[in-house]
């Protein structure tokens, strides 16, 4: 399976990163070894001094699809959760300055903690889905999928031009503003609407 992650997909986050709004969806991949499930802890790696959280709505693909049109995109995902696109921000800056790829700052072991999936059929409007992330009990990120620059269906259409989507593939849809650093013993808790879906510690 593959994990596709959309970058710079919320205006305020692009602003806080000092980046222009993209004119087409920008994405990168994470390895399957980046996944952490069942609220297991994330261990801070020794190769970075600046590990950041990015809370994102994650789609689970349920059907094989190539060059899917936006009109039919809703048939290709059946469940949603909150995932954390954990990023080594210092390495990301270094890689970007050198024009080198992002894998070591975005796809290292444990860089994709995933919450429990909620069936799309049990959620309200997927295109205006509220979510938030709390760090040590304080809300640090809060948004809704209505604020996405490229919405869910546009993402599926774009990505599937390049990659065949397969059952079980995951799409991280981008993070809203409020990204920030993680320290040892921080506690992250994420919600979709009022439902807690992810709850884990940094070690
Ligand atoms: Zn991200």
């Amino acid at each position: 399976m593959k994990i596709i992650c959309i970058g710079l997909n919320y205006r305020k986050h692009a602003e806080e990163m000092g980046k222009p709004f993209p004119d087409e969806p920008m994405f990168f991949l994470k390895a399957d070894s980046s996944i952490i499930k069942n609220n297991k802890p994330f261990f801070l790696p020794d190769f970075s001094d600046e590990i950041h959280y990015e809370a994102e709505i994650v789609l689970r693909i349920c059907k094989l699809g190539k060059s899917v049109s936006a009109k039919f995109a809703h048939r290709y995902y059946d469940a949603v959760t909150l995932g954390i696109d954990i990023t080594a921000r210092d390495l990301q800056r270094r890689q970007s300055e050198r024009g080198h790829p992002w894998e070591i700052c975005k796809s290292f072991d444990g860089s994709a903690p995933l919450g429990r999936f909620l069936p799309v059929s049990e959620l309200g409007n997927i295109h205006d889905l509220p979510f938030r992330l709390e760090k040590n009990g304080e809300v640090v990120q809060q948004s809704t999928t209505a604020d996405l620059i490229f919405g869910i269906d546009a993402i599926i259409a774009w990505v599937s031009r390049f990659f065949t989507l397969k059952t079980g593939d995951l799409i991280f849809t981008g993070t809203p503003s409020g990204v920030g650093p993680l320290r040892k013993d921080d506690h992250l808790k994420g919600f979709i609407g009022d439902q807690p879906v992810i709850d884990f510690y940094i070690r």
Side-chain angles (χ1 to χ4, degrees):
M1 58 85 69
K2 56 191 171 296
I3 307 168
I4 297 149
C5 304
I6 313 295
L8 301 174
N9 204 15
Y10 287 86
R11 285 184 174 80
K12 283 185 192 158
H13 173 62
E15 284 167 7
E16 76 181 350
M17 298 303 288
K19 298 276 193 264
F21 304 151
D23 55 6
E24 61 185 36
M26 183 276 267
F27 63 90
F28 55 92
L29 300 180
K30 282 183 190 269
D32 58 1
S33 44
S34 65
I35 292 174
I36 301 180
K37 286 184 187 166
N38 303 319
N39 293 328
K40 294 215 174 73
F42 170 80
F43 290 91
L44 289 165
D46 61 8
F47 49 74
S48 170
D49 298 317
E50 198 181 355
I51 294 290
H52 275 200
Y53 59 81
E54 296 188 355
E56 312 196 2
I57 290 290
V58 178
L59 311 171
R60 188 178 69 193
I61 299 297
C62 60
K63 195 168 152 173
L64 192 77
K66 173 73 185 168
S67 298
V68 175
S69 72
K71 187 169 61 171
F72 298 119
H74 63 276
R75 298 179 183 173
Y76 289 82
Y77 55 92
D78 65 350
V80 166
T81 191
L82 206 64
I84 315 295
D85 169 19
I86 294 188
T87 302
R89 199 69 77 196
D90 45 359
L91 294 187
Q92 185 184 33
R93 273 195 304 271
R94 198 183 78 187
Q95 295 297 96
S96 297
E97 281 163 13
R98 294 175 179 180
H100 287 177
W102 275 5
E103 279 79 357
I104 62 166
C105 63
K106 284 284 197 182
S107 179
F108 53 88
D109 284 356
S111 62
L114 282 177
R116 70 185 165 93
F117 281 91
L118 306 176
V120 170
S121 57
E122 290 175 17
L123 294 167
N125 180 5
I126 189 88
H127 303 293
D128 187 7
L129 195 61
F131 61 97
R132 70 178 192 274
L133 180 71
E134 295 179 0
K135 185 173 97 167
N136 305 327
E138 187 191 326
V139 177
V140 288
Q141 291 192 281
Q142 185 159 31
S143 193
T144 146
T145 52
D147 288 337
L148 287 165
I149 296 175
F150 300 102
I152 287 170
D153 294 345
I155 290 170
I156 298 235
W158 179 259
V159 167
S160 68
R161 287 174 63 188
F162 302 92
F163 298 124
T164 299
L165 297 175
K166 294 186 176 178
T167 299
D169 286 350
L170 300 174
I171 302 181
F172 280 63
T173 53
T175 196
S177 60
V179 302
L182 290 171
R183 312 246 181 267
K184 191 170 179 295
D185 299 328
D186 279 345
H187 177 205
L188 292 184
K189 195 167 179 185
F191 299 80
I192 293 181
D194 287 323
Q195 298 199 62
V197 291
I198 189 167
D199 184 339
F200 68 104
Y201 285 86
I202 309 305
R203 301 298 191 200

